[in-house]
Structure formats: structure tokens, C-alpha cells
């Protein structure tokens, strides 16, 4: 519970901090410590590297997260999750959402991809649709080295691409831990009360006349 409270405090502090310039962060930065921090990334999108992350649901509708690499001015690349788009009538027809052309400044927040994702089978990384977002695997598959963190875009480009950029705060489950704590203390108190009851002094009975 305390670990999750620390994560919640990290989120609250990150949301109140001023945006960072991604260009000023070294590749070897402590990215997990920068999780949730607001950033500004300036560069140009690499359209040929765009992928779609499958099985993303918004308001009960299935769709994709649109992820495009952004070439920074210093030669590095970072994957930008530009937002969500609904799946079409057929999965054989993928949505067409090209990124803005030319130099752009992307405002977003730093996200750390899940390392222990579940795979029912080894994922093929040759197509445009991926099941999981893994920067290391992306680099191997595309030959484009990217930073180990993701930028989740929080503002729309001009013109607006109509993608949904709604990144809810994660549920750390702190309340669940508190409920468990109260339950175990209640069980301990009940066990102690039962022990006292069954071990109470018993009267010998009426004195014989």
C-alpha cells in the first residue's frame, strides 16, 4: 500500500510540475522517475514507422492507439502515442491517420511501457498492427532506435486529427489495500475475542449441601 501511495504522490507531483523539454533529457535519464511528467518534444514525424496498437477500448468501442516515431533535432527518436481511433466496420481495413508533416511540437506526458505483458504466442512484428508497445522490440523490428519511454500526446495538432487523447490517471488500488488491512485487523480481533470466550474461567457449580 505504501509503495502505491508513493506512486500516487509521484503522479500528483508530476501533474503540477512545469513541462520538460525532451531535448534536454539524456538518453540514460531515469525514465521511471520521470513517469507522468509533462514534456514538449519538437521534431518531425517518421510516417513510415507508424504502428497501431490493437485492442484498445474507449467508451465501449474497440479501436487502436496510433503510435508514430518522432525524430528529434538531436538525431534521437521517441515513440509518440498520438491517441485512440475507433476500429472500422472491417478489421481488414485499417484507419488512415497520417501524422502532421513538417516540424511539430508535441505536448504530452511521459509513459513507461509495461515490461511484463502477456503474450499467448510470440508476436509478429512485421505488420502495422501490434498487440503490445515495446520500444526495444520496435527498435529491433524497424531498425529505428527509440527512447525507452513513450510520449502520450495531450494536445491536438493543427489541423485536428480527431484522435481521442484521454489518458486517465491509473488506479493504484490503494483503497483495496486499506480494505484488506481493516479485514485482517477485524479477523485478529475476532480470534482474540473467541480465545477469551473459550478460555474464560468456568464456575465449579453449586456447592454441595
Amino acid at each position: 500500500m505504501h509503495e502505491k501511495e508513493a506512486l500516487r504522490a509521484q503522479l500528483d507531483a508530476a501533474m503540477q510540475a512545469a513541462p520538460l523539454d525532451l531535448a534536454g533529457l539524456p538518453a540514460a535519464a531515469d525514465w521511471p522517475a520521470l513517469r507522468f511528467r509533462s514534456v514538449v518534444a519538437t521534431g518531425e514525424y517518421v510516417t513510415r514507422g507508424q504502428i497501431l496498437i490493437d485492442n484498445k477500448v474507449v467508451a465501449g468501442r474497440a479501436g487502436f492507439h496510433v503510435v508514430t516515431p518522432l525524430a528529434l533535432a538531436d538525431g534521437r527518436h521517441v515513440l509518440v502515442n498520438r491517441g485512440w481511433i475507433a476500429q472500422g466496420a472491417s478489421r481488414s481495413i485499417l484507419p488512415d491517420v497520417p501524422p502532421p508533416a513538417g516540424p511539430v511540437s508535441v505536448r504530452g506526458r511521459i509513459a513507461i511501457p509495461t515490461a511484463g505483458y502477456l503474450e499467448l504466442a510470440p508476436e509478429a512484428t512485421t505488420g502495422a498492427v501490434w498487440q503490445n508497445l515495446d520500444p526495444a522490440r520496435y527498435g529491433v523490428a524497424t531498425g529505428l532506435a527509440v527512447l525507452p519511454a513513450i510520449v502520450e500526446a495531450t494536445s491536438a495538432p493543427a489541423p485536428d486529427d480527431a484522435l481521442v487523447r484521454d489518458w486517465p490517471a491509473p488506479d493504484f488500488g490503494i483503497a483495496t489495500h486499506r480494505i484488506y488491512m481493516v479485514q485482517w485487523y477485524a479477523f485478529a480481533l475476532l480470534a482474540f475475542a473467541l480465545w477469551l470466550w473459550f478460555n474464560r474461567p468456568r464456575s465449579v457449580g453449586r456447592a454441595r449441601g
Side-chain angles (χ1 to χ4, degrees):
M1 182 184 72
H2 293 313
E3 291 177 357
K4 293 181 178 180
E5 286 177 338
L7 282 175
R8 180 68 208 194
Q10 179 183 350
L11 170 62
D12 293 340
M15 294 179 65
Q16 296 175 5
L20 297 171
D21 183 357
L22 192 63
L25 297 175
D30 185 359
W31 295 104
L34 295 173
R35 187 183 181 192
F36 308 124
R37 281 297 302 269
S38 296
V39 293
V40 177
T42 302
E44 292 191 32
Y45 281 116
V46 183
T47 305
R48 61 177 175 81
Q50 181 166 291
I51 60 175
L52 302 174
I53 308 301
D54 203 359
N55 299 318
K56 301 301 180 182
V57 178
V58 172
R61 297 185 63 187
F64 307 92
H65 279 175
V66 182
V67 177
T68 313
L70 183 73
L72 305 175
D74 59 7
R76 298 181 299 168
H77 294 78
V78 64
L79 292 176
V80 177
N81 190 337
R82 296 169 48 213
W84 176 89
I85 189 170
Q87 176 184 308
S90 171
R91 286 184 58 86
S92 62
I93 303 176
L94 298 178
D96 183 22
V97 278
V104 295
S105 288
V106 180
R107 292 186 174 272
R109 71 176 188 180
I110 293 178
I112 305 300
T114 302
Y117 51 79
L118 176 65
E119 285 186 319
L120 300 179
E123 180 181 355
T125 54
T126 56
V129 179
W130 291 34
Q131 297 300 315
N132 301 286
L133 182 54
D134 185 332
R137 178 177 286 182
Y138 178 91
V140 172
T142 63
L144 192 65
V146 295
L147 295 176
I150 309 299
V151 174
E152 294 175 337
T154 55
S155 60
D160 195 338
D161 53 18
L163 296 177
V164 177
R165 282 168 283 272
D166 181 18
W167 314 112
D171 180 8
F172 295 108
I174 297 173
T176 301
H177 286 278
R178 289 189 177 131
I179 292 172
Y180 287 156
M181 180 180 64
V182 171
Q183 286 178 340
W184 283 112
Y185 276 123
F187 290 151
L189 182 61
L190 176 61
F192 181 66
L194 290 174
W195 183 87
L196 290 177
W197 172 259
F198 288 114
N199 290 276
R200 70 188 188 281
R202 302 177 184 273
S203 59
V204 178
R206 295 181 178 178
R208 296 181 179 179

